[in-house]
Amino acid sequence: MRRSGVASALSGFGVHDHICWGYEHPEEFVAGAVEFLADGLDAGLQVCYVAPGTTEELTAALSSSGRLRRALDTGAARVVSLDGMYGNHELSDPRRQVTEYAEATNRAQAAGYKGLRIAAEATGLVDTPERLDAFVRYEYLVDEYMVDHPFSALCAYNVAELGHDAVAQLACLHPVSNDGTQFRLHATGPPHTAAVSGELDMATAQLWPRALERAQLRPVDGWLRFDAAGLRFVDHRSLAALDSYAAQRNVGVLLTSASPLVVRMAQILRLQNVRAHT
């Protein structure tokens, strides 16, 4: 079971959880990462701290926790420099990065851990519009992997550097965040099913179509399937945008477990490509 919604703390998460964490001061990220990784150790996971800086600097940051300091000694915890992982801070192949995390998860399980958990400070990977676009696409791809593999992650972004709009673009494609994003579009089971939750209205008129485009959803038997159980409200513009998205790709859209309000709205609009069911 994956958690979804807004989080104010970074403990109590499971092996499939994916969190977007906006922060304004570096010490906030370090404290959050320590909490999240220590929680992972309690769950029997191998944990990894990914951030800019040297190995010595990253080790010193984690060593503020006695639990993590001991885990570093045993190999239950690791540190990886963002500079070493991504080189010049370019995510040239999002699918390859997902594959690398999948391989690391397999190695953790082979070593006797229940899975892998990372806390990554990724601000430097999204500091231009082009990098942001590529990384948002990656976030949905890796979220699909997390659904049925024991890999969980904290993705941290400096709001003071990036701005709230950029962080919202990232947060809306995570099941959980500490950001007040109005909606969330993320992966869920069975394969190639997405979940949409929250509220879609005028405030999300630009973000919603952009999130759909970046998620690169894949149809099954000609249909894109959305679990809409958590969708509290949707306006006609948002449903029309979804209908247009489906028409451009020559697919249909199924909104399942939808509220009566969503079903009625879809009926009133007489959409050509969207079907909603309770």
Side-chain angles (χ1 to χ4, degrees):
M1 186 70 179
R2 307 178 84 199
R3 285 178 58 177
S4 63
V6 179
S8 58
L10 287 168
S11 58
F13 286 96
V15 297
H16 304 288
D17 285 318
H18 189 197
I19 305 98
C20 180
W21 198 258
Y23 72 94
E24 294 191 355
H25 305 287
E27 58 269 22
E28 294 176 40
F29 164 64
V30 174
V34 166
E35 180 181 2
F36 186 66
L37 297 180
D39 184 59
L41 292 175
D42 290 339
L45 305 172
Q46 186 178 51
V47 302
C48 183
Y49 180 66
V50 182
T54 66
T55 299
E56 292 75 18
E57 290 169 336
L58 303 186
T59 299
L62 278 200
S63 294
S64 61
S65 161
R67 177 76 189 283
L68 286 168
R69 184 172 60 250
R70 292 189 294 273
L72 286 166
D73 292 337
T74 64
R78 300 171 53 240
V79 298
V80 176
S81 170
L82 190 76
D83 309 313
M85 177 174 287
Y86 295 99
N88 62 355
H89 288 189
E90 294 290 348
L91 187 67
S92 58
D93 187 347
R95 292 189 182 278
R96 178 56 192 165
Q97 185 58 51
V98 175
T99 298
E100 289 181 6
Y101 277 134
E103 292 170 350
T105 301
N106 291 338
R107 289 193 296 271
Q109 290 183 285
Y113 300 99
K114 293 182 179 179
L116 177 66
R117 172 170 293 187
I118 69 164
E121 204 298 319
T123 301
L125 300 176
V126 297
D127 57 358
T128 69
E130 295 76 18
R131 289 174 176 173
L132 176 62
D133 184 68
F135 208 79
V136 172
R137 294 174 188 273
Y138 155 75
E139 287 283 24
Y140 192 86
L141 283 174
V142 76
D143 194 61
E144 284 188 315
Y145 173 75
M146 291 181 193
V147 168
D148 52 11
H149 295 88
F151 175 58
S152 51
L154 171 70
C155 307
Y157 301 97
N158 190 320
V159 180
E161 290 187 23
L162 298 174
H164 288 282
D165 178 68
V167 175
Q169 293 180 52
L170 293 151
C172 73
L173 288 172
H174 287 74
V176 181
S177 78
N178 66 336
D179 181 84
T181 305
Q182 281 191 234
F183 77 90
R184 286 175 177 77
L185 175 64
H186 60 86
T188 187
H192 311 317
T193 300
V196 57
S197 60
E199 299 181 357
L200 295 168
D201 55 24
M202 285 188 64
T204 61
Q206 293 184 332
L207 188 56
W208 167 237
R210 188 183 297 175
L212 286 171
E213 180 68 31
R214 285 167 162 172
Q216 298 182 338
L217 304 170
R218 285 165 285 176
V220 176
D221 298 327
W223 292 90
L224 296 174
R225 303 170 189 274
F226 292 81
D227 180 348
L231 186 60
R232 298 186 300 273
F233 176 81
V234 60
D235 68 1
H236 67 282
R237 298 175 187 83
S238 302
L239 281 175
L242 182 58
D243 191 64
S244 176
Y245 175 86
Q248 291 170 12
R249 289 156 181 79
N250 196 31
V251 298
V253 168
L254 290 177
L255 297 174
T256 62
S257 302
S259 71
L261 172 66
V262 174
V263 173
R264 182 58 178 155
M265 181 70 74
Q267 291 171 341
I268 291 172
L269 293 175
R270 297 184 179 180
L271 301 172
Q272 297 298 306
N273 305 286
V274 177
R275 302 288 180 269
H277 306 282
T278 57

